[in-house]
Amino acid sequence: MTRRAEQNRPTKRAGALGQRLMRLREQGARPSREDVEAADMVEEAVIDCGWGRILFTQTFENSEAIIHKLRAEGLEQRDIAFYVRDPHVLLAAAPNELFLDPSHTYRLDLTTYRAKWRKLPGFFVRRLTSLADAEAVNRIYASRNMVQVNPEFFWSKRDSRALTYFVAEDETTGEVIATVTGVDHGRAFNDPERGSSLWCLAADPQSRHAGVGEAMVRRLAEHYQARGAAYMDLSVLHDNDRAIALYEKLGFRRIPIFAVKRKNPINEKLFSGPDPAAALNPYARIIVDEARRRGIGVEIIDTAAGFFRLSSGGRSVRCRESLSELTSAVAMSLCDDKAATRRIVERSGVKVPAQKEAGSEEEIKAFLAEHGSVVVKPARGEQGRGVAVDLDTLEDVTAAIAEAKKSSDRVILESYFDGTDLRLIVINFRLVAAAIRVPAQVVGDGKSTVESLIAKQSRRRAAATGGESTIPLDGETERCVKRHGYEMSSILPEGERLQVRKSANLHTGGTIHDVTSEVHPTLVDAAISAARAIDIPVVGIDLMVTAPHLADYVFIEANERPGLANHEPQPTAQRFVDLLFPLSMPASARLAQERKVEA
């Protein structure tokens, strides 16, 4: 036999064993110890992914060895025992510690998979290449309530043979908008089946691009296919219908493979039965989830309206999303009356725009002539209803006033400040989060009308926000489209971006982008001064700014019930629960807060 043939023989043998092992597992049978040993797999193979470890249980001798390894799970980590042969036996050995993950396993056969490469407009997929990428991945994880990873871990594994990280980058902004992780089983534990697996597929809910998830899955599949992998597996929650539909569309098929996890606070929603907060909107649910993590009792008062009660240590607080009993009726009334809010904060030294209540046609003409462009808004209201921005003709102003009167008998005119919409979340008179709010936009594909693009983007925003964010097909949207030279029936050229709303409110299709680390101190001071003037413990202060890192601004309004969701990775819900139940704070956080007060 030649030297070349001798070198190849173990590879062929391992390949045949791998195929045998694969057939046995797909049939639900357990491979013999001799088969496993002959395959020369690494014993008790574990790979650390930063958010937790994957235990490849086909390399473990028995249930006791798996349980021993799972008991070594790190704090704030989520370990997964995957490819469990006999889940009933494993669970019976530690029923108080472990649970069967309610996820399905899907497999893509890479030996028959055919690449379908199609360049989608607006983004491209590449490897993770910097610490900034790692931080962006964490931001996406936070937005999807996934366990975050120390960015240094991502960076340290950038050249790993077993782990692969891909990200999608927006071609215009350079922002990372999606991420996926892959594991090469051959390089992780010398897998004779030549398998691979997909983990942590996540897209930024604020992204405007369609097809990002599919592009990430295809890129990873093609990567492992090129490496000679036989298949790619993934685990997906049984009720994640949208993800399952995507995987089945791409050719994945369900296989009888199971995963087991430890009963820990991170996994609680998976093993504790029906979640009382499941039907709440995202703004109530983010608070309830944080309270449950701390062992604070939760009573849902009214699901549709977002009312709930939190109780701990003899203390009970009723809330409606981020509005609690700690906010006085007077403060709430001030925020509700935009004209009164403006007068109050102006006396505290906060810069405000010129303002006038809509009156006669002559008064409107004079105000418009003085300021050139105006904002029309109901004197009372929320969620951007009835607000029209950057109006410079009497006809548009008159039409906007009529629309605003559907929300309030009184209508306000304000001078228009051309800038960026900045939302600052102030809790207990400290800045917790700052984010710019970008008005709804669509990107042309050269085939679709503006109206159909808006409808598609609106469905995407609704899916990403639990139905909270949609783009209204109303007069304000039509006015904004016409102002850019288009009709709703126009075909938007491929790659062209069109802003379809002037106001950046989330409920009218706007997106939120965190700028907490770069916001100018003057803007922070203005927000805190406004909160103190109103005397409100939790508030969203809206400013129009030249840029978040510059000092120029005008005050727009204060929201007594700001949405705490969509501000990831900032700890908005954590600080809210800290305010309500200070003793529930981790000791380290309490000490840090005390040091700040002393300083």
Side-chain angles (χ1 to χ4, degrees), residues 175-197:
E175 291 183 352
V176 170
I177 58 173
T179 177
V180 71
T181 301
V183 178
D184 186 326
H185 298 180
R187 299 186 180 192
F189 59 95
N190 197 25
D191 180 15
E193 296 181 16
R194 296 179 295 115
S196 64
S197 52

Side-chain angles (χ1 to χ4, degrees), residues 510-570:
T511 55
I512 296 177
H513 306 272
D514 181 67
V515 294
T516 307
S517 62
E518 59 187 87
V519 68
H520 195 281
T522 298
L523 308 182
V524 177
D525 290 343
I528 293 173
S529 295
R532 290 194 181 279
I534 301 168
D535 193 19
I536 186 167
V538 179
V539 66
I541 300 295
D542 294 339
L543 306 178
M544 286 298 291
V545 302
T546 304
H549 62 282
L550 300 177
D552 197 20
Y553 77 93
V554 293
F555 172 88
I556 301 302
E557 64 183 32
N559 189 320
E560 77 281 1
R561 185 164 51 102
L564 301 185
N566 306 308
H567 283 280
E568 296 82 2
Q570 306 309 326

